[in-house]
């Protein structure tokens, strides 16, 4: 059941080189955008919380790249890299965080609670685990329609595996043998809670056998491992092998939210495998392999910075939402709306 | 030929499946077995692959429905008993109910809840939950009281682009009969005058409509003419019809099977008191189940819920005031 | 020295832990970290082994509390946000709330719900759920509006032999301050006259009490004297105090942050209309949040919930009628 | 992790012989009482449903016998044998089914929804899986009090394993390392639903590793296997080894309830291991081993019949509940009761 992530001999192969560099660019863009959100937060420009994916870009981007246009992605709070790789425009993220009425959530919902269902990005509700069965339903609908070669990915954290919704959702997907990729980013903490207070199994991948699904255990800071495992899992799911459970080991390199100094994080974890910064690791890897010259990387960086600054500048010029323009109706059948009692 | 309330629900689902390829049904034991109450009898056979047995996972059942709805399907989710929807609660009130408002993508899901008390049902197989679901923005809550409404409102529920909590009353399943299925119906959101009268308005819904009608019959013998309004849907709530009736009678009694604190009765009285204060010649009153879980033993259950007798007694009080 | 609403909640838990060895606290991140809002700051250190971090399992969190209560403990269960209690809902309304009635064994569990809207909270970190829980038999629902009540009512909640849903308002956590902790308090179930007046009664609870008081201040400048009643607990609901106030003023406005359909406001108006009809010189009115999820952006949120301004506007309407 | 149930050499040992016969007597009593409930149901003497444990007595009795006075038991709908073995009086069951106000549920709740928390029998609410965390809480409370050498058992069916409550409850017990016995009676159906629509794992015992708990897979129709496995699991739990997950294979030899003809049951299952009648199997075993002569067994049977008939006769003479004697208050703090609004 448990699989090793790496296909031998793949290294060096030139299409993979491109994939790797592409992945790196999205990781870089995500990191820079996240940093921007953090500084906007410190500047008091963002209402409510800010949640970063720092340290989890390799895993997240691998999800986005393993998916194809038309697939489904239900990201969680640390999936900026994966969102971008799957095609979410930078400006969608900025507009949602800054509460622009032009954003996909129209200032009604904010921060990480964003998406465009018709584009295949399902916007999370906050209740952890709740999106899995929603992805299942979309995949079942596609089966009804005879759509083949499609997959749906749902992201989760280690803490979210303790929810009943996680269990019901994964079990439901297994019973229906749906092409679900369930990716668990075990970043060692759920907010402040260490995994020892969250589960007692040796590894979360040990849960796969109990659902009758394939399981993968990977180093979530190893971009190559992430990309290849996710691609392998995705092609298995596409080919009718049912749900694939990917458990990645890594470390949250930020607070739970930007309000959280996260003093509770055990410093030793940084030295363990999975504790390093996946972005730096990818850069080092690129150097060893001589992929992408430093100049190119710094060019990419400045392009990314430019892109982010431009988006933020644009959105900051956009007017805030006007309550008088809202119809204050929660249903689409307007003549049945009760108005505001 | 005669058709029961339960058969009407089965027929409505059969028609929905036949007329609209986007419709499917998902729930426990609803496939080959036809459901705990047989509301999907033979449907799995007649519509292969579109009537699916679910695991005992209410949360995931509703979540799956929402995902399918996003993809353009029209799922009907059957809860085995309304009482068990408490474990699917989050997906109903926070996922289905918020989807359209958040994303502008409609969520045409119907959640069927077999509701209400029956002999020996006890605390966990007797609950009515319309008062809970109606509180949440984004949901439409239907409470059909007749065979005709069970049929036409369920078809409406499936046709609507919004999430509908469809509260069907188990006590009506087998006993309530009609000669034939309706070909037309009142629009969703409109209440129905179940009986005309000029002395007192009784507002009721679901099974309580029949208790109210029986009480009205009893009081007619005493020369009192009761008007009975059947709300049909509790959200939206047809304030106009209620108000028009109170305008005629000047007196109001609200009857519901749910618990006393809050809920449909409180909402109806609050609306009439706020918007129709001048129409009232006497204080509006309400009758609910008692403020305890629903008892198992028929002796206790009969005293726990409003009945024709307790309604008539309450009505006399109002008529005297 | 000055103490905040949040600190009062922390102090009440410290005192409960210190005075009663049966008390323990269970919830997410409440141990060494002290909780998402720091309501249990240092308690794990001061009371080793009695303040436990739970997995993200709301259903099991409440279930564990009930089991411990059966064995004579007095658990306090902290939900990280009230909104997430929807996934612990079944254990609250069907397990905790029914235990005493079914078995005659009391269930002294306190479930703390950080409730209510804040800037940028959005649809799933802003909900108030008192109107949902109060509908269920077997629960006591507290909604403290002051630092003093946050402290004394939480101690009461832990001391009571029945399940208490303790709705604390996040908007009051840091801003609301008092000079010291109270040594005495009104008994549970008694409402409080937060401000005296003779022209209009405004009934409110939780954070809305302060909006109501601000509105009263604004109207005082116009020569109108508003009486503000703070319900304190919404179940049981102190009908007597409300009625006595309406008897004085003849006018009633109910203000609540929960959604318009049903809930506290409807219940209060229904009671006054039924039992105090003759006391009313004008139609009773209510003000709620709008019937949509709670919006993320402050502009929208400010328009979604009742505020001193909208309350004052509504009050003027009633005073004119 | 997976264990074999039998301790070699135990067979024949005389104290075990007594245990076996004791178990058999409770099974017999349970079967006879269940049959009585069935006939009372057919006679229209019982309000609401009747749910039998036919075919599951061996497993259920093993639970009751593995528990000691002071332990906790949260039985499910097919646990009459276990209840009796744990000490539930026959008359409690009869009074609850017939709705006598003198019963433990005082006619407020009925049939299988019965128990006496202070005696360690937790009365189920209907929501499947919901009792596990309640047992956890009681066990945690005992740990607080320094009570050692105690265990709590919770029964579940195969279908109930699909609930979120099952997952949260078992995981919670594992994290707290509580002395929980979680017994899953896989009787092949959840009402009408076969296990193929309920889970996709090879065996439910494969879930144990995913929670980090010990797992046992046993033939639920083999009384010896059930008794010994449950005893082994109980002693492990008592000695601090944490939750024990017992998965028993067997067949429901009745309808879901007595209203259910259960035509959906695949006849072939009766011929498979786990498909036989555990009561008959125990009798045959006793014959082979020459334990308990036929006369003794028929004596036991008539004693059981007498006991049951007597209880039913007594309860049938008891008056029904009087609604006017009810205070119609759901809380214990009477002065805070709202009365009947
Ligand atoms: C059902 C539910 N309970 C509680 C919360 C509050 N909450 C939000 S994020 C979080 C921690 C999640 O940890 P994990 O799943 O490991 O994801 P991570 O933040 O580490 O990426 C919690 C407890 C929630 N969102 N949903
Ligand atoms: C949460 C929940 N959903 C649905 C039901 C209705 N229900 C009662 S028993 C049952 C089947 C249970 O099957 P299983 O767990 O295998 O136990 P068995 O009846 O086979 O002993 C169902 C669906 C319930 N009690 N609780
Ligand atoms: Mg985590
Ligand atoms: Mg079963």
């Amino acid at each position: 059941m448990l699989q090793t992530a790496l296909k031998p001999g793949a290294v060096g192969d030139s299409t993979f080189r491109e994939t790797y560099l592409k992945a790196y660019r999205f990781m870089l863009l995500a990191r820079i955008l996240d940093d921007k959100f953090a500084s906007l937060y410190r500047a008091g420009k963002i209402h409510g919380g800010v949640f970063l994916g720092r340290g989890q870009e390799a895993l997240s981007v691998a999800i986005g790249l393993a998916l194809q246009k038309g697939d489904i992605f239900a990201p969680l709070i640390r999936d900026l890299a994966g969102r971008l790789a799957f095609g979410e425009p930078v400006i969608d993220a900025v507009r949602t965080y800054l509460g622009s009425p032009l954003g996909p959530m129209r200032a009604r919902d904010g921060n990480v609670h964003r998406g465009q269902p018709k584009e295949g990005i399902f916007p999370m509700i906050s209740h952890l685990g709740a999106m899995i069965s929603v992805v299942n339903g979309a995949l079942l609908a596609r089966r009804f329609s005879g759509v083949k070669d499609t997959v749906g990915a749902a992201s989760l954290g280690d803490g979210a595996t303790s929810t009943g919704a996680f269990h019901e959702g994964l079990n439901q997907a297994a019973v229906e043998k749906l092409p679900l990729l369930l990716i668990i980013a075990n970043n060692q903490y759920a907010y402040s809670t260490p995994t020892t207070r969250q589960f007692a199994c040796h590894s979360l991948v040990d849960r796969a056998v109990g659902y009758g699904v394939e399981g993968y255990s990977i180093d979530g800071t190893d971009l190559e491992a992430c990309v290849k495992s996710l691609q392998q899992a995705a092609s298995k799911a596409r080919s009718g092998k049912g749900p694939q459970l990917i458990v990645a080991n890594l470390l949250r390199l930020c607070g739970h939210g930007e309000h959280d100094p996260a003093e509770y994080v055990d410093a030793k974890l940084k030295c363990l495998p999975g504790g390093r910064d996946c972005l730096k690791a990818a850069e080092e890897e690129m150097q060893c392999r001589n992929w992408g010259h430093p100049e190119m990387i710094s060019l990419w960086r400045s392009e990314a910075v430019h892109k982010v600054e431009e988006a933020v500048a644009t959105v900051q010029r956009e007017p805030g939402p006007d309550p008088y323009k809202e119809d204050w109706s929660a249903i689409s059948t307007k003549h049945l709306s009760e108005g505001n009692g | 030929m005669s058709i029961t309330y339960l058969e009407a629900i089965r027929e409505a689902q059969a028609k929905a499946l036949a007329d609209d390829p986007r419709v499917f049904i998902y729930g426990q034991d609803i496939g080959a077995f036809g459901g705990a109450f047989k509301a999907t009898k033979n449907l799995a056979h007649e519509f292969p692959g579109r009537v699916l047995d679910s695991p005992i996972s209410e949360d995931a059942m509703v979540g799956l429905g929402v995902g399918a709805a996003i993809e353009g399907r029209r799922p009907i989710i059957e809860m085995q008993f309304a009482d068990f929807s408490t474990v699917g609660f989050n997906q109903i009130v926070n996922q289905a109910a918020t989807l359209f408002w958040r994303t502008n993508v409609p969520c045409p899901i119907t959640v069927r809840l077999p509701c209400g008390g029956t002999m020996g049902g006890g605390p966990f197989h007797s609950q009515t939950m319309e008062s809970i679901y109606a509180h949440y923005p984004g949901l439409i809550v239907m409470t059909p009281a007749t065979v005709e409404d069970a049929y036409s409102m369920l078809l409406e529920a499936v046709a609507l682009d919004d999430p509908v909590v469809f509260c069907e009353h188990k006590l009506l399943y087998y006993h309530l009969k009609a000669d034939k299925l309706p070909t037309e119906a009142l629009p969703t959101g409109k209440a129905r005058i179940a009986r005309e009268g000029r002395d007192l308005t009784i507002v009721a819904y679901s099974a309580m409509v029949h208790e109210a009608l029986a009480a009205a019959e009893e009081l007619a013998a005493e020369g009192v003419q009761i008007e009975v309004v059947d709300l049909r849907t509790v959200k939206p709530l047809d304030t106009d019809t209620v108000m028009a009736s109170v305008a005629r009678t000047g007196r109001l009694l609200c009857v519901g099977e749910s618990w006393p604190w809050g809920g449909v009765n409180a909402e109806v009285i609050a609306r009439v008191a706020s918007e129709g204060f001048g129409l009232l010649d006497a204080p509006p009153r309400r009758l609910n189940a008692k403020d305890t879980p629903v008892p198992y033993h028929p002796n206790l259950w009969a005293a726990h819920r409003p009945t024709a007798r307790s309604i008539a007694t309450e009505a006399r009080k109002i008529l005297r005031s």
Side-chain angles (χ1 to χ4, degrees), chain B residues 19 31 34 45 50 111:
Chain B
D19 295 355
H45 176 73
R50 294 173 62 193
V111 181

Side-chain angles (χ1 to χ4, degrees), chain A residues 207-282:
Chain A
R207 295 210 168 152
V209 62
Y211 294 96
V213 303
E214 291 205 54
Y216 307 71
S217 178
I218 58 178
D219 175 349
T221 63
D222 177 340
L223 178 56
E224 177 167 7
C226 291
V227 168
K228 290 185 171 173
S229 300
L230 264 296
Q231 269 165 358
Q232 188 181 349
S235 51
K236 285 212 178 210
R238 283 185 211 287
S239 62
K241 299 272 191 311
Q244 312 284 309
L245 179 68
I246 298 94
V247 177
N249 200 49
L250 39 67
L251 184 62
R252 194 189 70 205
L253 299 180
C254 50
H256 171 63
E258 283 310 279
H259 59 279
D260 171 24
E263 286 133 355
Y264 48 79
V265 173
D266 178 349
K268 284 193 301 305
L269 289 171
K270 288 211 169 62
C271 316
L272 300 178
R276 61 185 178 164
D277 179 344
C278 59
L279 189 68
K280 284 209 191 62

Side-chain angles (χ1 to χ4, degrees), chain B residues 28-29 56-58 61 80-81 84-87 124-125:
Chain B
Q28 295 151 23
D29 304 296
I56 304 174
S57 304
E58 281 76 8
M61 283 161 61
Q80 201 155 72
F81 284 79
F84 303 133
S85 72
T86 47
V87 284
F124 310 114
H125 291 76

